[in-house]
Amino acid sequence: MLSNRMKWMKTAIAGIAALTVLAGCSGGTGQETGQGGTSPSSSPSAETGGAKPKLEVLAFNVGFDPNNDPVAKDIEATTGYKINYTLLPKDNPEEKLNIEVASGANYDILTLNPPQFYTLVAQGALQPIGDLVDQHGANLKEGISESSWELGRYNGELYGIPQKNERANIEQTMIVRQDVLDELGLKTPETLDEFYETLKTIKAKKPDMIPLTGNGMNVPMVWSAYGIYTAWSEVDGQLLPRIKHPAMEEYFAFMKKLFDEGLVDKDWPINKSAQAQEKFISGQAAMISGDWNLASNMNDAFKTNVPDGKMGYISPLQGPDGSAGVEMADKLIYVHAIPKSSKNAEEAIKFMDMKMEKDNFTFLTLGEKGVTFNEENEVYSPIMPIFTEKRGSAYFFLNGIREVEYAEMWLARLRRTPTLFEAFNAINKDFDKYAKVNPIAFMPPIEAVGKNLPSLTQMENDFFLQVLLSGEKVENFDKFLSKWDSSGGSDVIKAINDWYSTKK
């Protein structure tokens, strides 16, 4: 029985991991307009009377002891519940989770990532909680949208409290040496032709600099120029993966042209992510495909190596008709579920609901207004360093979010690191213009997908690198797609379209 569960787990996780590869942050809180979070002693939801059971929580691994964190102490004072937190190991967490649940270990709340949740609910290891949420979850129901609740359902029954990412946002960009563009009198490219001419100019006038470094086949800002925005898209009424998009062959040909003309890193086919990043950080390269988190992470080392350097960002490149776009990050990150072995399901729901009460949520995620954060016109700013001292780990303790308010409050966490917020803001200033929805963003694991997609993804990347390095002809793309279909691709497309037809 245990081996079957392990097999189930690995299949589900492989499916999600593969979808993540094709698809291309977390902090926490809710919104107050006229007042800040209240302290536990004055919280209207704090309960002091009546004996409450100690609740056991099993959650993902973090680099601190949550039982001794300031947030944990404030949660106990605010809700009246004593909580003991146990962490999954950093290595092989799914194996430990499966053993704990299968053995009936004494946990009342499980904080699960999507593949973990879908695996356990399919095994029948979780309690249905719909009736309990209806009876004791008024704050949960107020804060979480109905569309999000669907992500906690299985066969129509609610089994978990869903927690989406903080806010829909654009993560991907192309990071460019703005100082190099300025030095050469170049404007930020907006079209594919302008991008090509920019690379040519950099190569001609700065022969010792790599115009564009990177690795793998994923360059979302260039994909945009070909109308390839998301991991899957609807073409002639059918969902197709990016590799089957009608314009993908043209993208391959363009990247091959850049490689042959020395406009991209000659080591592109053998680069790892860290190697490409080092070339940008050290000042060897003028551009790199990345995201706002990478821009912030590279900033200190970049400034040390290139004191006069300045990072800029290239938006999705426009196609011939002027359209452009990139897949937005809008996803389920956790589900908070109750195992069948728990004897405290009602108390667990009451506990999570108390944390979602508006004032409690603000206090537990941001702290006290004027002490750990400031707020003006719904703009939340951390007071440093006490914000990090008191609420730096608040994201770990979330059991769902007040989705509307939290979208703004979460930005206080980004504002702790100026370079992070600057990069996030620069990339998302035109969110409404560029953000595109991936139609399978919230698809559950599907056996045919989990079985085949990892190897298919590897096939795609291998073919791309062969085109660049080994003389593989782009004209053989159709032949490659036939092999892709026969290697499980057709099964994946059918399975995903069968699922999609139920969602229309």
Side-chain angles (χ1 to χ4, degrees):
M1 179 67 70
L2 188 56
S3 62
N4 288 338
R5 287 181 174 141
M6 291 298 296
K7 183 177 180 181
W8 231 105
M9 179 75 73
K10 290 176 181 176
T11 299
I13 292 164
I16 292 294
L19 288 174
T20 302
V21 169
L22 278 187
C25 201
S26 276
T29 36
Q31 158 185 311
E32 295 294 326
T33 52
Q35 58 184 356
T38 55
S39 65
S41 60
S42 61
S43 171
S45 289
E47 297 182 17
T48 56
K52 295 182 178 181
K54 180 179 181 180
L55 299 178
E56 298 286 337
V57 174
L58 181 63
F60 53 90
N61 193 274
V62 288
F64 61 90
D65 179 4
N67 293 295
N68 292 317
D69 192 88
V71 179
K73 300 181 186 307
D74 284 340
I75 286 174
E76 181 179 352
T78 301
T79 67
Y81 285 92
K82 175 67 176 177
I83 310 296
N84 183 61
Y85 299 92
T86 300
L87 303 181
L88 290 169
K90 185 176 182 180
D91 298 324
N92 300 317
E94 282 75 24
E95 181 177 355
K96 176 67 171 177
L97 172 65
N98 197 62
I99 292 171
E100 291 285 272
V101 173
S103 68
N106 183 33
Y107 295 111
D108 300 302
I109 299 172
L110 305 175
T111 294
L112 306 169
N113 64 32
Q116 292 167 347
F117 170 69
Y118 289 125
T119 298
L120 292 181
V121 74
Q123 291 175 350
L126 305 178
Q127 295 191 35
I129 59 172
D131 289 343
L132 290 176
V133 170
D134 285 342
Q135 295 169 28
H136 308 291
N139 294 305
L140 290 164
K141 294 176 76 171
E142 177 190 8
I144 299 172
S145 66
E146 182 53 40
S147 61
S148 294
W149 281 113
E150 287 300 311
L151 304 176
R153 299 186 194 279
Y154 181 75
N155 290 338
E157 185 79 52
L158 184 66
Y159 284 90
I161 295 169
Q163 182 180 327
K164 289 177 64 176
N165 61 318
E166 301 80 7
R167 59 189 287 147
N169 73 95
I170 294 173
E171 294 179 348
Q172 300 297 318
T173 186
M174 184 170 288
I175 305 165
V176 61
R177 287 280 300 277
Q178 185 63 48
D179 58 300
V180 171
L181 296 185
D182 294 342
E183 176 189 344
L184 300 180
L186 299 170
K187 74 180 189 72
T188 303
E190 297 179 356
T191 67
L192 198 63
D193 287 343
E194 291 175 358
F195 179 68
Y196 174 68
E197 292 300 325
T198 298
L199 295 177
K200 284 182 63 177
T201 301
I202 293 172
K203 178 177 173 59
K205 296 188 175 182
K206 286 189 164 293
D208 294 332
M209 178 171 280
I210 302 166
L212 170 64
T213 189
N215 67 297
M217 64 177 284
N218 302 345
V219 188
M221 300 304 103
V222 176
W223 278 339
S224 172
Y226 295 96
I228 306 171
Y229 306 137
T230 55
W232 287 71
S233 55
E234 190 166 337
V235 180
D236 297 329
Q238 183 184 34
L239 281 188
L240 291 177
R242 184 178 285 128
I243 194 67
K244 300 274 280 190
H245 191 285
M248 198 64 180
E249 184 175 350
E250 296 178 57
Y251 167 77
F252 272 47
F254 178 73
M255 293 300 293
K256 171 67 171 172
K257 177 182 178 181
L258 298 186
F259 187 79
D260 289 346
E261 295 182 11
L263 303 181
V264 300
D265 192 343
K266 63 180 176 58
D267 295 328
W268 192 293
I270 60 173
N271 274 345
K272 301 298 184 184
S273 295
Q275 293 169 315
Q277 291 168 28
E278 177 58 32
K279 290 178 181 181
F280 185 88
I281 289 170
S282 64
Q284 298 176 58
M287 299 184 197
I288 184 172
S289 187
D291 56 37
W292 49 264
N293 197 52
L294 175 63
S296 178
N297 289 342
M298 293 194 302
N299 185 74
D300 288 347
F302 172 71
K303 283 294 188 184
T304 297
N305 294 321
V306 191
D308 296 327
K310 180 182 178 182
M311 289 187 195
Y313 307 96
I314 296 176
S315 297
L317 297 174
Q318 298 172 13
D321 63 353
S323 61
V326 64
E327 183 171 319
M328 69 177 177
D330 186 26
K331 55 198 173 187
L332 178 68
I333 55 174
Y334 297 115
V335 181
H336 306 275
I338 299 174
K340 276 196 170 178
S341 57
S342 172
K343 302 297 190 292
N344 297 311
E346 180 176 323
E347 296 294 339
I349 295 298
K350 288 180 178 178
F351 164 70
M352 291 187 281
D353 187 72
M354 289 181 70
K355 290 169 65 180
M356 282 281 275
E357 189 276 332
K358 199 170 187 179
D359 284 346
N360 290 346
F361 187 80
T362 302
F363 172 68
L364 295 174
T365 51
L366 287 186
E368 295 183 68
K369 186 174 180 179
V371 177
T372 55
F373 77 98
N374 287 317
E375 179 270 327
E376 185 174 356
N377 297 324
E378 299 181 10
V379 174
Y380 296 83
S381 302
I383 298 173
M384 297 294 288
I386 193 171
F387 180 90
T388 294
E389 293 169 1
K390 297 291 188 181
R391 291 296 181 264
S393 303
Y395 68 92
F396 172 85
F397 298 92
L398 294 170
N399 293 120
I401 59 174
R402 295 184 65 90
E403 293 178 356
V404 174
E405 299 98 321
Y406 186 63
E408 294 302 321
M409 298 175 75
W410 171 68
L411 295 180
R413 301 188 66 83
L414 298 192
R415 291 186 175 103
R416 291 184 297 166
T417 307
T419 57
L420 185 63
F421 183 70
E422 289 166 9
F424 174 89
N425 206 40
I427 293 167
N428 281 275
K429 61 183 175 60
D430 294 316
F431 175 85
D432 292 340
K433 179 179 179 181
Y434 295 123
K436 305 294 183 183
V437 176
N438 177 7
I440 70 164
F442 298 109
M443 184 185 74
I446 296 174
E447 185 175 359
V449 178
K451 176 183 177 182
N452 294 298
L453 207 49
S455 60
L456 292 171
T457 302
Q458 188 62 51
M459 281 179 61
E460 296 163 13
N461 200 60
D462 288 348
F463 180 78
F464 175 73
L465 298 182
Q466 288 165 11
V467 168
L468 294 188
L469 193 61
S470 305
E472 177 68 71
K473 296 184 182 299
V474 177
E475 291 78 9
N476 290 334
F477 190 63
D478 287 343
K479 182 179 178 181
F480 163 75
L481 289 182
S482 295
K483 181 181 178 182
W484 189 92
D485 286 336
S486 63
S487 299
S490 293
D491 293 338
V492 169
I493 291 175
K494 181 181 184 305
I496 287 179
N497 277 277
D498 286 347
W499 166 82
Y500 189 60
S501 66
T502 69
K503 299 299 177 183
K504 290 184 177 180

